[in-house]
Amino acid sequence: MVRQEAQREQTASMEDYLETIANLGEGRKVVRVKQISEMLGVKMPSVTSALKKLSEQELVEHERYGHIKLTPEGDKVARDVIRRHKALTRFFAQALGIDHETAEEDACKIEHVISPLSMERLAKFVEFIGACPLGRTNFPSRYEYYLEHGELPQDCSNRSVKKRK
Amino acid sequence: MVRQEAQREQTASMEDYLETIANLGEGRKVVRVKQISEMLGVKMPSVTSALKKLSEQELVEHERYGHIKLTPEGDKVARDVIRRHKALTRFFAQALGIDHETAEEDACKIEHVISPLSMERLAKFVEFIGACPLGRTNFPSRYEYYLEHGELPQDCSNRSVKKRK
DNA sequence: CAGAATTGTTAGACATGTCTAACAATTATA
DNA sequence: TATAATTGTTAGACATGTCTAACAATTCTG
């Protein structure tokens, strides 16, 4: 319950800017203030202002009216945000069966606040159910049945565990 | 990626205050500014200021130097935050095997940003693995093996699925 | 019950991050 | 290439939520 700001390196906002710049810059594409502003749903002056802060921290290279580019350090931070984002999206979509849009929205929020430990475990969970056929057949199918019918499938009781031959 | 503030009823901060007041008030206990401030790790003037806002919204009853109490509406909001908090804590602790302290911290953050759909699914997931013995035996035990050894347990491969008799 | 200790409030500063309005630079095009 | 359209920046307002310092009320205690 205690809210003792865990001294994150970056705020959620700044992480969003870095993430967006990395995504827009994929494949050496030129990144523009306008694009960033549209992607994040903010006005251009907000972007300019964020770029100024990120430049001061040497996470972004940016000169007036000029190019926008992540520094190696900025890229490192961005990659990490993107890694969390992807793992969370996979979790919501693949493990919980959430529609992709909602999965994305939740990932966007949670990526900024989740602890490294939970993040790691969550990623492993997704890996696990993807990799383990037993996980896949026993978990998702019965889980989906449960979601749909609100009660456990027939073979899901203490008795059936033993009885099965 | 778009950050179009989903018009939450309350900000994360205000939700934290409501949640804390509800928790401190359990069993008709008197709630004090000092306690709230300690619980949330903020100074007392921050609490006074938050109480003023919440009073204006009629979520809290508070008179100068007097009692602090949730209105029925405030209680409704607080209960909902607490419900999310508990479900998230259970998920991290019971499903992912995270230590209780970290589970709490993550719940505290995520409770303010997760979508209703994901929240519901996540709760159902925890219910499911708690209720379904097949879920329990097939999922957590192999999952834990995977966490510990970094690779799948022996009976977890396409071959073994068929072979098992 | 009076002074001391504690608790609570007010006023106002500050940080973050957003916005609008006005202006400047760049780019496209007639 | 001059002008129009677009893109980007600056300046400054505003909202949220925190803090410190100073003061006020309440409660404890000798």
Side-chain angles (χ1 to χ4, degrees):
Chain A
M1 180 72 60
V2 174
R3 208 167 58 209
Q4 48 187 349
E5 294 316 300
Q7 290 297 76
R8 284 216 164 234
E9 293 299 311
Q10 293 299 322
T11 62
S13 263
M14 292 305 123
E15 282 189 351
D16 277 341
Y17 284 108
L18 292 171
E19 186 183 12
T20 301
I21 295 167
N23 284 329
L24 289 173
E26 279 301 339
R28 301 193 164 279
K29 281 197 288 285
V30 168
V31 180
R32 319 213 61 183
V33 171
K34 186 104 190 285
Q35 287 178 294
I36 301 171
S37 96
E38 280 166 358
M39 275 274 209
L40 286 175
V42 300
K43 303 294 179 180
M44 287 200 294
S46 306
V47 177
T48 303
S49 150
L51 290 176
K52 194 178 159 226
K53 271 185 210 156
L54 294 169
S55 295
E56 280 160 7
Q57 298 179 258
E58 309 204 314
L59 296 170
V60 159
E61 272 178 43
H62 176 227
E63 40 198 50
R64 238 169 141 254
Y65 297 97
H67 72 283
I68 299 166
K69 192 165 165 294
L70 296 174
T71 64
E73 180 60 21
D75 191 68
K76 212 174 87 187
V77 177
R79 292 298 145 206
D80 199 62
V81 179
I82 290 170
R83 180 185 62 74
R84 300 199 294 273
H85 182 104
K86 285 185 175 163
L88 284 161
T89 306
R90 272 198 294 273
F91 169 73
F92 285 114
Q94 289 170 29
L96 294 192
I98 306 272
D99 64 282
H100 196 73
E101 199 187 320
T102 306
E104 279 285 335
E105 282 170 17
D106 281 323
C108 276
K109 302 286 190 168
I110 297 173
E111 67 192 14
H112 305 300
V113 300
I114 193 169
S115 68
L117 177 58
S118 295
M119 190 67 261
E120 181 215 297
R121 287 294 174 84
L122 219 135
K124 292 220 179 210
F125 173 70
V126 177
E127 271 174 46
F128 170 76
I129 63 161
C132 175
L134 272 177
R136 279 215 84 66
T137 56
N138 285 328
F139 158 59
S141 66
R142 288 191 181 74
Y143 172 59
E144 277 151 28
Y145 182 95
Y146 183 65
L147 279 185
E148 200 168 321
H149 299 82
E151 55 186 46
L152 295 171
Q154 293 194 335
D155 64 353
C156 231
S157 74
N158 275 309
R159 256 155 290 126
S160 68
V161 174
K162 302 285 179 185
K163 262 199 307 198
R164 208 156 70 120
K165 47 173 169 290
Chain B
M1 179 72 60
V2 174
R3 208 166 60 211
Q4 48 187 351
E5 295 316 302
Q7 290 297 77
R8 283 215 166 236
E9 292 299 311
Q10 293 300 322
T11 62
S13 264
M14 293 305 123
E15 282 190 351
D16 276 342
Y17 285 107
L18 293 171
E19 185 181 13
T20 301
I21 295 167
N23 283 330
L24 289 172
E26 279 302 337
R28 301 194 163 281
K29 283 198 286 287
V30 168
V31 180
R32 321 213 59 184
V33 170
K34 186 106 192 285
Q35 288 178 293
I36 300 172
S37 97
E38 280 166 358
M39 275 275 208
L40 286 175
V42 300
K43 302 294 178 180
M44 285 200 294
S46 306
V47 176
T48 303
S49 150
L51 290 177
K52 196 179 157 223
K53 270 183 211 159
L54 294 169
S55 294
E56 282 161 4
Q57 299 179 71
E58 309 204 313
L59 296 171
V60 160
E61 271 179 44
H62 176 228
E63 41 199 50
R64 244 170 137 255
Y65 296 99
H67 72 283
I68 298 166
K69 192 166 164 295
L70 295 174
T71 63
E73 180 58 23
D75 191 69
K76 212 175 86 186
V77 177
R79 292 300 144 202
D80 199 62
V81 178
I82 290 170
R83 180 185 61 75
R84 299 199 295 271
H85 182 103
K86 285 185 176 161
L88 284 161
T89 306
R90 272 198 295 273
F91 169 72
F92 285 114
Q94 290 170 27
L96 294 192
I98 306 274
D99 64 283
H100 196 74
E101 198 188 320
T102 305
E104 279 286 335
E105 283 171 17
D106 280 323
C108 277
K109 303 287 191 167
I110 296 173
E111 67 191 14
H112 305 299
V113 301
I114 194 169
S115 68
L117 176 59
S118 294
M119 190 65 262
E120 181 215 299
R121 288 292 173 84
L122 219 137
K124 293 219 178 209
F125 173 70
V126 177
E127 273 174 46
F128 170 75
I129 63 162
C132 175
L134 272 176
R136 279 215 83 67
T137 56
N138 284 326
F139 158 60
S141 66
R142 288 191 182 75
Y143 173 58
E144 277 151 29
Y145 182 96
Y146 183 65
L147 279 185
E148 200 168 320
H149 299 82
E151 55 185 47
L152 296 170
Q154 293 194 334
D155 64 356
C156 233
S157 73
N158 274 310
R159 256 156 290 125
S160 66
V161 174
K162 303 287 180 183
K163 262 200 301 196
R164 206 155 69 122
K165 45 172 172 291

